[in-house]
């Protein structure tokens, strides 16, 4: 027992002696730090918009505990970069300890303001120690100037609000936004446009976009086109399919690569009831919530939207939604989305020729088919109201996806329901046809499903990148109707298709 007590006492003495040490002994750094990067590139940002946070890891490979005498930005407090070292924010730091065989994270952000320039390379130096022992890591950011459009604020600091929708009870739904002024109704390709809130095209006005125009939308932002107003997107065919130099592009305002394929970054485009003669040519629209929502008026006397040579993809809900709308589309790609790629809702009149409708969404459960068509809508009180589906014509189209059934019909049995699929490839599970409306899925009927191929192999190039070009093994090759193809002799890339037309927006050709 005495020996046991003596052992406990010695152990306690050893612990108390060690705990009395007030500090570790650190050797100064002698310029022998190692780093996870030799340069920190902060991806392209817009002037006045903060970057994402980037990291640099600093290693002490030695067997000694060291102290880094100085960590800081060469431009000091005037630098537009911001640092966080070991959980502390600042621009300069002194005597930072780093244990032997240990590492340290430094987090870096920036916000840069530019004037009178289109693009600018903003740089600074992250310094470790000074004098002969100095080590340096360059910081590099490409800053792009832009035209910023945003809501005004009143005397109380409150943002200007605009009506963007109406709820089920008829109450207005408002959001921060502003009406575009007369001198803001022509978007050129000289500088990109960055929109905060909802940009509204006023009644009796039209917004014109030149070839090569770029429009970036901040989070929860979008565009609304009022009744008797219109949107004119005048893009053109590009020679470089990576740069898309002549195409008009709508997307979110985060330029970092990790945001390149993130759905739901902005709200989308709303063509309000009474807005007509909207025309879109060579537009790429991506990463919205609802890409384009087009609400037609009941008379359907003129097209709500004419869209050609365009692609809409990676919307968190729906890429193209027509509600009692009159839509004409040619050479259109509506790719993956969190719900339907294309939604023809509450009747209307629709004509889609040489269109690729393909939904290979993998980010979450997708509740609906790539193509959804109906002529009625619930009113939220266990009732529904309907409108005539004057026509829903699909010619030389592809309706495909990674789901079991990529076409969905919904007829109330009272309003007109007219549709045609002519020379289309349609992906369905014929063993799972809905019994309630099975008459709408009679794929052997050569009147409503004329010359259509059911469950053919599409064989796209890369569905996860929304690249829906056809490959040489696709069963969609050479089976298009020639008369319908003659009306659109060139595909979305300008390739001639009149001899043996393929289905969809792309005509297959062998790459060099």
């Amino acid at each position: 027992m005495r020996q046991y007590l003596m052992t406990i006492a010695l152990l306690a003495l050893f612990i108390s002696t060690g705990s009395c040490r007030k500090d570790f002994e650190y050797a100064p750094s002698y310029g022998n730090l190692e780093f996870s990067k030799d340069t920190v590139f902060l991806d392209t940002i817009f002037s006045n918009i903060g970057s994402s946070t980037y990291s640099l890891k600093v290693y002490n490979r030695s067997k000694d505990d060291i102290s880094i005498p100085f960590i800081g930005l060469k431009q000091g407090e005037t630098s537009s970069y911001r640092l966080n070292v070991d959980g502390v924010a600042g621009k300069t730091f002194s005597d930072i300890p780093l244990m032997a065989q240990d590492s340290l994270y430094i987090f870096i952000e920036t916000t840069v303001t530019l004037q009178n320039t289109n693009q600018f390379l903003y740089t600074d130096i992250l310094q470790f120690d000074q004098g002969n022992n100095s080590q340096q890591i360059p910081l590099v950011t490409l800053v792009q100037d832009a035209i910023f459009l945003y809501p005004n604020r009143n005397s109380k600091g409150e943002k200007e609000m605009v009506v963007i929708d109406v709820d089920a009870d008829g109450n207005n739904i408002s959001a921060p936004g502003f009406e575009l002024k007369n001198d803001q109704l022509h978007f050129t390709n000289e500088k990109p446009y960055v929109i905060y809130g909802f940009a509204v095209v006023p009644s009796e006005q039209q917004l014109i976009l030149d070839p090569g125009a770029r429009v970036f939308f901040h989070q929860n932002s979008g565009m609304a086109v009022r009744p008797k107003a219109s949107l004119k997107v005048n893009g053109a065919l590009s020679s470089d399919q990576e740069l898309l130099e002549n195409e008009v592009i709508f997307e979110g305002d985060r330029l970092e690569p990790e945001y390149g394929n993130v759905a739901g970054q902005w709200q989308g485009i709303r063509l309000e009831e009474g807005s007509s003669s909207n025309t879109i040519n060579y537009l790429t629209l991506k990463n919205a919530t609802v890409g384009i929502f087009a609400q037609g008026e009941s008379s359907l006397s003129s097209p709500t939207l004419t869209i050609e040579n365009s692609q809409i993809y990676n919307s968190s809900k729906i890429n193209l939604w027509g509600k009692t709308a009159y839509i004409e589309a040619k050479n259109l790609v509506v790719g993956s989305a969190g719900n339907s790629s294309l939604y023809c809702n509450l009747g209307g009149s629709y004509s889609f020729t040489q269109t690729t409708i393909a939904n290979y969404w993998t980010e979450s459960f997708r509740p609906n088919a790539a193509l959804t068509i109906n002529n009625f809508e619930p009113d939220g009180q266990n009732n529904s109201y309907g409108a005539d589906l004057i026509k829903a014509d699909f010619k030389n189209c592809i309706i495909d996806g990674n789901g079991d059934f990529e076409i969905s019909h919904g007829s109330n049995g009272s309003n007109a329901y007219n549709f045609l699929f002519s020379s289309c490839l349609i992906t369905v599970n014929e063993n799972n046809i809905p019994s309630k409306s099975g008459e709408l899925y009679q794929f052997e009927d050569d009147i409503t499903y004329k010359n259509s191929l059911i469950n053919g192999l599409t064989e796209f190039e890369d569905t996860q990148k929304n690249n829906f070009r056809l490959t040489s093994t696709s069963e969609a090759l050479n089976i298009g109707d020639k008369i319908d193809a003659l009306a659109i002799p060139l595909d979305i890339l300008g390739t001639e298709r009149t001899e043996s037309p393929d289905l969809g927006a792309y005509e297959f050709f062998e790459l060099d």
Side-chain angles (χ1 to χ4, degrees):
M1 177 63 73
R2 178 179 295 179
Q3 186 177 2
Y4 176 75
L5 292 175
M6 184 176 294
T7 301
I8 294 296
L10 289 172
L11 181 60
L13 179 62
F14 174 77
I15 293 173
S16 63
T17 301
S19 65
C20 290
R21 182 179 177 182
K22 294 183 178 179
D23 201 358
F24 291 98
E25 293 182 2
Y26 294 98
S29 171
Y30 288 106
N32 56 352
L33 299 172
E34 295 183 19
F35 306 98
S36 59
K37 304 170 185 176
D38 56 14
T39 302
V40 178
F41 293 97
L42 287 79
D43 291 298
T44 305
I45 62 170
F46 287 114
S47 174
N48 299 309
I49 295 181
S51 71
S52 294
T53 301
Y54 295 79
S55 64
L56 174 71
K57 201 169 185 180
V58 184
Y59 300 95
N60 174 14
R61 303 292 194 190
S62 74
K63 298 179 180 179
D64 297 322
D65 301 335
I66 64 173
S67 175
I68 306 172
F70 174 83
I71 298 177
L73 297 161
K74 186 174 182 179
Q75 297 180 31
E77 294 299 322
T78 64
S79 178
S80 293
Y81 289 103
R82 301 181 296 276
L83 305 177
N84 188 298
V85 177
D86 204 20
V88 178
K91 297 192 177 184
T92 60
F93 304 83
S94 300
D95 301 323
I96 303 300
L98 184 53
M99 304 295 286
Q101 304 293 314
D102 203 354
S103 60
L104 171 71
Y105 271 108
I106 297 178
F107 297 99
I108 307 158
E109 299 175 338
T110 188
T111 304
V112 182
T113 301
L114 295 180
Q115 295 178 347
N116 302 320
T117 184
N118 286 334
Q119 287 191 331
F120 187 78
L121 197 65
Y122 184 76
T123 63
D124 200 347
I125 300 292
L126 180 55
Q127 295 180 314
F128 296 84
D129 207 344
Q130 295 170 318
N132 293 333
N133 295 326
S134 176
Q135 294 177 268
Q136 299 182 342
I137 298 294
L139 308 178
V140 181
T141 307
L142 181 64
V143 186
Q144 190 169 352
D145 197 13
I147 297 170
F148 292 86
L149 303 174
Y150 48 86
N152 293 320
R153 293 181 182 268
N154 61 22
S155 58
K156 297 180 181 179
E158 299 168 332
K159 289 182 180 179
E160 179 183 1
M161 304 291 284
V162 295
V163 176
I164 61 167
D165 205 352
V166 178
D167 66 19
D169 297 322
N171 300 313
N172 289 337
I173 299 174
S174 297
F178 57 96
E179 284 196 348
L180 292 166
K181 299 179 176 61
N182 288 342
D183 61 354
Q184 298 172 326
L185 289 169
H186 185 185
F187 287 11
T188 71
N189 59 13
E190 295 176 5
K191 291 183 180 181
Y193 295 77
V194 182
I195 292 176
Y196 285 74
F198 269 81
V200 174
V201 183
S203 187
E204 309 290 348
Q205 301 289 343
Q206 64 179 12
L207 173 63
I208 300 172
L209 293 98
D210 289 348
R214 301 291 190 260
V215 188
F216 298 87
F217 294 85
H218 195 61
Q219 186 179 14
N220 296 322
S221 299
M223 184 178 290
V225 182
R226 294 296 196 218
K228 298 183 180 180
S230 60
L231 176 68
K232 305 290 185 182
V233 176
N234 300 323
L237 179 63
S238 299
S239 59
D240 188 325
Q241 289 303 308
E242 294 295 328
L243 294 178
L244 296 176
E245 74 280 3
N246 293 323
E247 197 148 331
V248 175
I249 298 179
F250 289 173
E251 61 179 311
D253 69 346
R254 300 309 300 261
L255 304 185
E256 300 91 331
E258 59 265 32
Y259 286 91
N261 199 37
V262 176
Q265 293 182 46
W266 58 291
Q267 289 297 307
I269 308 300
R270 299 183 63 86
L271 307 178
E272 297 183 358
E273 183 178 357
S275 167
S276 62
S277 301
N278 298 285
T279 58
I280 294 175
N281 197 19
Y282 286 104
L283 169 71
T284 290
L285 188 158
K286 59 182 179 178
N287 299 336
T289 300
V290 174
I292 298 177
F293 173 67
Q295 185 167 9
E297 53 186 352
S298 56
S299 67
L300 300 177
S301 56
S302 61
T304 312
L305 171 64
T306 301
I307 182 168
E308 302 179 13
N309 304 308
S310 297
Q311 49 184 338
I312 310 171
Y313 60 85
N314 206 42
S315 299
S316 60
K317 292 184 179 178
I318 299 169
N319 288 322
L320 177 57
W321 179 358
K323 185 173 183 179
T324 323
Y326 181 175
I327 297 177
E328 294 184 343
K330 301 173 183 177
N331 282 344
L332 176 65
V333 178
V334 276
S336 298
N339 200 306
S340 290
S341 299
L342 172 61
Y343 185 21
C344 302
N345 170 221
L346 193 59
S349 179
Y350 306 94
S351 175
F352 290 84
T353 307
Q354 299 288 165
T355 292
T356 300
I357 305 164
N359 200 335
Y360 282 81
W361 180 264
T362 59
E363 298 302 311
S364 59
F365 171 73
R366 174 164 62 92
N368 284 315
L371 170 61
T372 301
I373 309 170
N374 63 40
N375 66 354
F376 67 96
E377 185 172 72
D379 63 2
Q381 299 176 356
N382 296 321
N383 299 311
S384 64
Y385 55 98
D388 290 341
L389 181 65
I390 297 172
K391 71 174 182 178
D393 289 353
F394 298 84
K395 300 176 181 179
N396 288 359
C397 294
I398 294 172
I399 299 96
D400 184 41
N402 56 3
D404 190 49
F405 219 93
E406 293 300 0
I407 180 173
S408 174
H409 287 289
S411 174
N412 59 7
S414 300
N415 293 91
Y417 196 91
N418 300 305
F419 69 94
L420 167 67
F421 293 88
S422 175
S423 298
C424 292
L425 186 156
I426 305 171
T427 296
V428 293
N429 182 345
E430 294 184 87
N431 296 320
N432 196 26
I433 295 176
S435 58
K436 185 177 180 180
S437 52
E439 72 279 1
L440 302 176
Y441 299 93
Q442 299 299 316
F443 299 117
E444 70 280 0
D445 184 350
D446 202 40
I447 297 177
T448 53
Y449 293 95
K450 181 181 178 182
N451 296 327
S452 289
L453 174 61
I454 305 304
N455 295 323
L457 295 176
T458 48
E459 299 294 333
F460 296 119
E461 284 197 5
D462 193 339
T463 59
Q464 292 310 299
K465 293 183 178 180
N466 283 284
N467 180 352
F468 296 109
R469 299 184 194 182
L470 300 171
T471 63
S472 60
T473 57
S474 174
E475 293 186 34
L477 303 185
N478 306 322
I479 63 172
D481 182 89
K482 289 186 177 181
I483 295 176
D484 291 327
L486 281 171
I488 317 170
L490 301 180
D491 80 344
I492 192 172
L493 298 179
T495 304
E496 195 271 335
R497 62 154 59 100
T498 55
E499 290 298 321
S500 301
D502 303 334
L503 304 185
Y506 295 101
E507 185 74 9
F508 172 76
F509 65 94
E510 293 284 359
L511 296 173
D512 295 333

